[in-house]
Amino acid sequence: MKKILVVDDDFSILEALKVGIESEGYEVMAISDGEKTYESVKKFNPNLILLDYLLSGKDGQEIVRELKSKRETKNIPVIMLSAHPSADKCAQECGADGFIPKPFEFDHLLEVIEKH
Amino acid sequence: MTELEERKQFEDSLIFLAEASKILSASLNIRETLQTVSQVAVSSVADWCSVDLINPEGDIDMVAISHKDPAKVKWAKKLREKYPPDLSADSSQAKVIKTGKPEFYPYITQEIINKSTQDKKIIRLIGKLGLTAVIIVPLKIRGKVIGTMQFVSAESKRKFTKTDLQIAEQIADRAGVAIENSLLYEDVNSERKRLNDLISNVPGVVWEIFGSPYSKERRISFVSNYVKKMLGYSPEEWYKNPSFGFDIIHQDDRRRVMDEASEIFSSGNMGTLRFRWITKKGDIVFIESHIYVIKNSEGKPIGIRGVNMDITERMEIERRKDEFISMASHELKTPLTTIKVFSHLLGKDMKYDKQKSDLYLSKVDDQIDKLENLVNDLLDISKIQTGKMNLRKEKFSLKNLIDETVEEMKIITKENIILSRVEDEFVYADKERLSQVLVNLLSNAIKYSPANAPVEVNAKKDTDRVIVSVKDKGLGISREHQQKIFERFYRVYDNFDKTFPGLGMGLYISNEIIKRHEGRMWLRSQNGKGSTFYFSLPLLSKN
């Protein structure tokens, strides 16, 4: 079973994504604290990470860079989600593997998850 | 007169003509000049000499009068005051003014005196003067009569000849020219001052430069006083250095401005530039420069002129607007994302699971409520920013409003809210907006309070104000955040906020509402111990 880690500081989105992705048969870990991303990745060992761009406190970009710079985590695909207008450019710059603007078609999200 | 006497008289007249001409062309001070001319006249060619000018009201002003005897001059002035000339009467002067032709009386007889005036008094006075001969010549500017010059022979019994008349006419011509020059000079000066005053009121720097932007012979021909106000530099400092306006451009903009200005210059049209100027104090001012090319008669560009406006404020407003729109769209997209996911789930096989569908629908409903609140908050902010938040004030009991609001909140949130001490005071305020403030403070307190810890509300009178407080026993807010918490979109990125992400607009709006009621909002908080939010309102006196 494919494991997905979802990181978003908005509780409602987090809940929606967990329910939605789990219903497709994936195992989901959902966290709201960006700071805890790295340790969650180490613990949960996901096949894919869905990460919000504008997290309160720790910046989404920073998290991606950190993940991509470490040997154990750099091969895990990271997809950035955001409602922010200029986020797609930044997603490319920091090395994310994909970008989905909010709000999105759930089917599109599933496609991206399947692809990676 | 003997031939010798005649010749002497003629020579005197020529000398007088020469001297008078010199005097008339030497100065622009008309009164002074005419007085000097009349003095010279009475020292050589006449016993009396006077000059009258028609003033703007149509009356006659005596601007010069001379006689060798100062006592007689005094007397003549007094006489003039007592008997001001009536231009409508049939006097010789009136005739000269009307016809523009001189009057010449080479020999005055009693008959002539009697004919010149009805007034017996004047007849006697003329007799007293011992008038022998009179020349009255008109003073003209471009053919229009503006006054008269009088030469009178009395005690000396000098006889006026036709030559004397001609010379008097020549003096009058030159006097006319001198007067015209003086008036033109005054006009030019007052025009220049008027234009300068007009330009000083333009809220921008008006300037003019001759020469191409690259040439070394470039010179600043005009810069308005506004530079002092905008930049702290005086116009004098500008005029000293032909490239002043360029030298104070921000380093990073210089190249571009030079290129663009040169392009406008050679194209011969007009253009707009934006750049930054550095003020004398070292501050940055954002400038929008409107440039117009000056061309010579062959259409060749010979200079540029224009107006530079300070758009710093405008840019700041634009930046804030962009920032607001960006934040607002981001805020709105968040609940939309959730709604979309749950809608999708509702559309799938969940359709057949009633429990799940009910749950998802309620989630969607919650998000829609959130959206509605967001939209209202955004509208409020927009109103605040454009000054369109209208308050509908009325007198009411603050205690009643607090009681009602707290009751409603208790029902909706099922939380514990205690009214510990609410004094009964009356205020003059917008009931709905005040309720909005209370709800905001109460929701925040409930959000950030641990379960079962009650929220306390107080209202207390303090001289001429009432102070309302909402207290929670939550995690508290650290000092650095306390300063900024009332700012628009400020979110407390703190440990506790990560648990309850806020929107950042509620406190800003509440603060603005209280401010508009001439009140104040503040808070006391300690990390780990909870927070108390306060606001004050002016009390309505119980009369």
Side-chain angles (χ1 to χ4, degrees):
Chain A
M1 199 194 300
K2 218 162 161 186
K3 294 199 276 192
I4 317 273
L5 174 68
V6 184
V7 188
D8 196 312
D9 62 351
D10 185 276
F11 268 101
S12 333
I13 293 184
L14 208 56
E15 187 183 27
L17 286 174
K18 185 163 168 37
V19 171
I21 299 174
E22 271 178 354
S23 77
E24 293 295 324
Y26 295 95
E27 192 184 328
V28 178
M29 181 176 185
I31 59 168
S32 66
D33 187 347
E35 305 264 357
K36 304 235 166 70
T37 309
Y38 186 69
E39 58 177 88
S40 308
V41 169
K42 292 272 293 279
K43 234 184 356 185
F44 183 59
N45 210 8
N47 303 101
L48 179 89
I49 303 171
L50 290 176
L51 180 67
D52 184 41
Y53 172 69
L54 222 125
L55 286 169
S56 28
K58 203 151 184 199
D59 178 28
Q61 269 191 306
E62 247 183 79
I63 296 175
V64 180
R65 284 205 194 97
E66 194 191 338
L67 290 170
K68 290 298 176 188
S69 69
K70 302 224 161 87
R71 197 168 40 92
E72 312 92 29
T73 55
K74 69 179 181 174
N75 291 318
I76 307 176
V78 179
I79 308 291
M80 290 198 95
L81 304 171
S82 184
H84 206 271
S86 63
D88 60 342
K89 210 177 4 140
C90 301
Q92 278 179 23
E93 276 170 20
C94 61
D97 302 284
F99 174 79
I100 302 178
K102 289 181 189 170
F104 46 78
E105 294 297 332
F106 200 77
D107 291 329
H108 175 62
L109 175 67
L110 289 175
E111 270 175 42
V112 172
I113 293 176
E114 261 150 56
K115 199 162 60 165
H116 285 87
Chain B
M1 251 195 313
T2 66
E3 202 185 299
L4 201 63
E5 280 170 338
E6 243 186 77
R7 188 176 298 158
K8 171 103 186 20
Q9 191 163 299
F10 182 53
E11 270 173 27
D12 286 341
S13 306
L14 287 179
I15 293 173
F16 168 62
L17 177 61
E19 246 199 272
S21 306
K22 216 162 67 176
I23 295 167
L24 285 168
S25 60
S27 154
L28 287 164
N29 184 332
I30 241 12
R31 273 177 187 251
E32 232 175 61
T33 306
L34 290 171
Q35 180 62 27
T36 311
V37 166
S38 69
Q39 275 166 327
V40 171
V42 303
S43 68
S44 52
V45 300
D47 294 311
W48 290 92
C49 179
S50 67
V51 181
D52 289 318
L53 289 178
I54 303 176
N55 65 24
E57 286 87 49
D59 300 320
I60 277 262
D61 278 342
M62 186 161 72
V63 301
I65 176 157
S66 294
H67 187 281
K68 275 207 180 97
D69 182 356
K72 281 203 166 151
V73 171
K74 232 174 162 177
W75 171 84
K77 282 188 180 165
K78 274 212 194 112
L79 186 70
R80 186 50 172 279
E81 262 171 61
K82 220 168 159 199
Y83 299 102
D86 180 3
L87 288 177
S88 59
D90 211 2
S91 65
S92 318
Q93 187 182 39
K95 214 165 156 193
V96 169
I97 289 175
K98 203 155 68 160
T99 63
K101 290 198 169 44
E103 288 282 296
F104 178 32
Y105 300 96
Y107 195 72
I108 298 204
T109 62
Q110 192 58 44
E111 208 185 321
I112 294 174
I113 296 177
N114 291 347
K115 248 208 263 180
S116 78
T117 174
Q118 299 285 16
D119 197 327
K120 288 234 157 62
K121 270 207 198 107
I122 296 195
I123 293 176
R124 237 184 305 133
L125 287 168
I126 292 178
K128 224 174 140 194
L129 279 173
L131 295 190
T132 314
V134 175
I135 296 176
I136 306 180
V137 282
L139 293 170
K140 298 185 193 169
I141 291 183
R142 269 175 270 150
K144 176 164 176 241
V145 178
I146 56 156
T148 61
M149 198 165 184
Q150 288 80 236
F151 297 90
V152 176
S153 171
E155 314 89 33
S156 67
K157 302 218 187 299
R158 178 194 166 120
K159 290 194 176 63
F160 284 155
T161 63
K162 273 233 162 67
T163 316
D164 289 323
L165 173 62
Q166 282 168 353
I167 287 184
E169 281 178 300
Q170 291 219 19
I171 298 286
D173 278 346
R174 279 157 225 220
V177 169
I179 294 170
E180 187 178 9
N181 280 347
S182 149
L183 290 174
L184 283 173
Y185 184 77
E186 251 176 61
D187 275 350
V188 166
N189 265 349
S190 65
E191 248 330 89
R192 182 180 292 154
K193 183 173 183 304
R194 183 174 147 254
L195 283 175
N196 261 329
D197 286 344
L198 267 172
I199 290 177
S200 298
N201 286 324
V202 172
V205 177
V206 180
W207 52 269
E208 186 181 67
I209 298 178
F210 279 101
S212 91
Y214 284 117
S215 89
K216 285 207 171 71
E217 283 81 43
R218 202 175 65 204
R219 64 178 178 90
I220 299 178
S221 61
F222 182 84
V223 72
S224 67
N225 290 332
Y226 198 77
V227 283
K228 187 87 201 208
K229 193 167 172 200
M230 189 198 268
L231 305 165
Y233 292 110
S234 69
E236 289 72 45
E237 292 177 77
W238 275 70
Y239 287 121
K240 281 205 196 116
N241 174 7
S243 60
F244 197 96
F246 185 77
D247 292 345
I248 57 170
I249 294 179
H250 190 286
Q251 209 175 315
D252 298 341
D253 298 338
R254 272 186 214 158
R255 172 104 237 187
R256 179 179 53 87
V257 170
M258 199 43 145
D259 290 344
E260 288 178 20
S262 303
E263 218 184 286
I264 294 172
F265 179 79
S266 36
S267 76
N269 297 327
M270 38 186 242
T272 310
L273 283 187
R274 282 196 185 182
F275 56 86
R276 289 161 289 180
W277 257 342
I278 314 289
T279 69
K280 196 164 192 174
K281 282 204 199 135
D283 302 319
I284 292 183
V285 170
F286 285 86
I287 298 293
E288 190 173 76
S289 180
H290 302 263
I291 303 180
Y292 303 89
V293 180
I294 307 170
K295 301 185 197 163
N296 64 9
S297 51
E298 284 127 42
K300 174 167 173 260
I302 54 171
I304 46 176
R305 55 167 74 106
V307 183
N308 289 2
M309 315 288 292
D310 181 346
I311 55 167
T312 311
E313 211 185 306
R314 207 209 303 173
M315 297 204 77
E316 177 61 23
I317 291 174
E318 275 177 28
R319 188 191 66 81
R320 272 198 239 143
K321 227 199 297 177
D322 288 341
E323 189 189 84
F324 180 80
I325 289 176
S326 159
M327 278 306 267
S329 71
H330 182 275
E331 294 296 303
L332 292 170
K333 284 182 184 169
T334 303
L336 286 177
T337 306
T338 308
I339 292 174
K340 239 179 136 51
V341 174
F342 280 119
S343 304
H344 165 90
L345 289 173
L346 280 167
K348 274 185 54 177
D349 358 79
M350 303 290 169
K351 270 198 274 215
Y352 306 106
D353 184 336
K354 184 163 194 308
Q355 205 185 19
K356 283 214 171 105
S357 347
D358 282 347
L359 176 65
Y360 296 162
L361 276 172
S362 82
K363 300 267 180 211
V364 169
D365 201 47
D366 287 342
Q367 292 303 306
I368 292 176
D369 285 341
K370 221 171 162 187
L371 257 178
E372 192 197 7
N373 286 334
L374 249 171
V375 169
N376 283 330
D377 279 352
L378 288 170
L379 276 171
D380 274 349
I381 289 188
S382 166
K383 277 188 207 158
I384 288 170
Q385 293 207 281
T386 55
K388 291 203 185 118
M389 180 177 264
N390 294 322
L391 298 174
R392 258 180 259 128
K393 291 189 179 169
E394 54 180 301
K395 291 185 229 175
F396 61 89
S397 152
L398 185 61
K399 181 176 189 310
N400 286 349
L401 180 68
I402 295 179
D403 287 343
E404 278 172 27
T405 313
V406 166
E407 274 313 304
E408 273 178 40
M409 289 287 298
K410 274 160 103 168
I411 296 174
I412 298 174
T413 66
K414 302 191 175 54
E415 291 288 342
N416 197 7
I417 306 173
I418 299 175
L419 298 172
S420 82
R421 194 172 131 213
V422 180
E423 292 174 9
D424 192 7
E425 300 295 346
F426 279 76
V427 291
Y428 182 62
D430 185 319
K431 219 175 181 184
E432 215 179 291
R433 291 292 184 183
L434 264 202
S435 174
Q436 189 179 344
V437 173
L438 283 169
V439 169
N440 173 237
L441 293 180
L442 286 169
S443 344
N444 283 348
I446 291 172
K447 244 198 278 184
Y448 302 127
S449 254
N452 298 322
V455 170
E456 253 183 69
V457 181
N458 270 338
K460 197 169 67 163
K461 175 172 168 176
D462 181 22
T463 52
D464 62 340
R465 344 211 92 229
V466 60
I467 299 180
V468 179
S469 64
V470 176
K471 183 172 175 185
D472 71 75
K473 291 226 167 73
L475 292 166
I477 300 165
S478 66
R479 187 137 292 195
E480 47 171 308
H481 294 304
Q482 285 181 37
Q483 311 276 39
K484 297 188 157 184
I485 203 165
F486 295 110
E487 281 178 24
R488 196 164 39 112
F489 297 133
Y490 192 79
R491 296 188 188 198
V492 179
Y493 287 134
D494 220 345
N495 278 320
F496 85 107
D497 188 59
K498 281 181 184 167
T499 327
F500 299 101
L503 294 172
M505 289 190 274
L507 280 177
Y508 168 78
I509 294 171
S510 295
N511 191 23
E512 289 296 317
I513 291 173
I514 295 299
K515 277 203 307 210
R516 274 164 180 68
H517 280 90
E518 275 113 61
R520 201 168 68 89
M521 204 166 190
W522 69 99
L523 84 127
R524 289 224 184 94
S525 181
Q526 246 188 314
N527 237 329
K529 294 225 175 107
S531 324
T532 308
F533 279 81
Y534 300 88
F535 68 85
S536 67
L537 287 174
L539 267 180
L540 198 62
S541 53
K542 284 232 165 93
N543 309 341

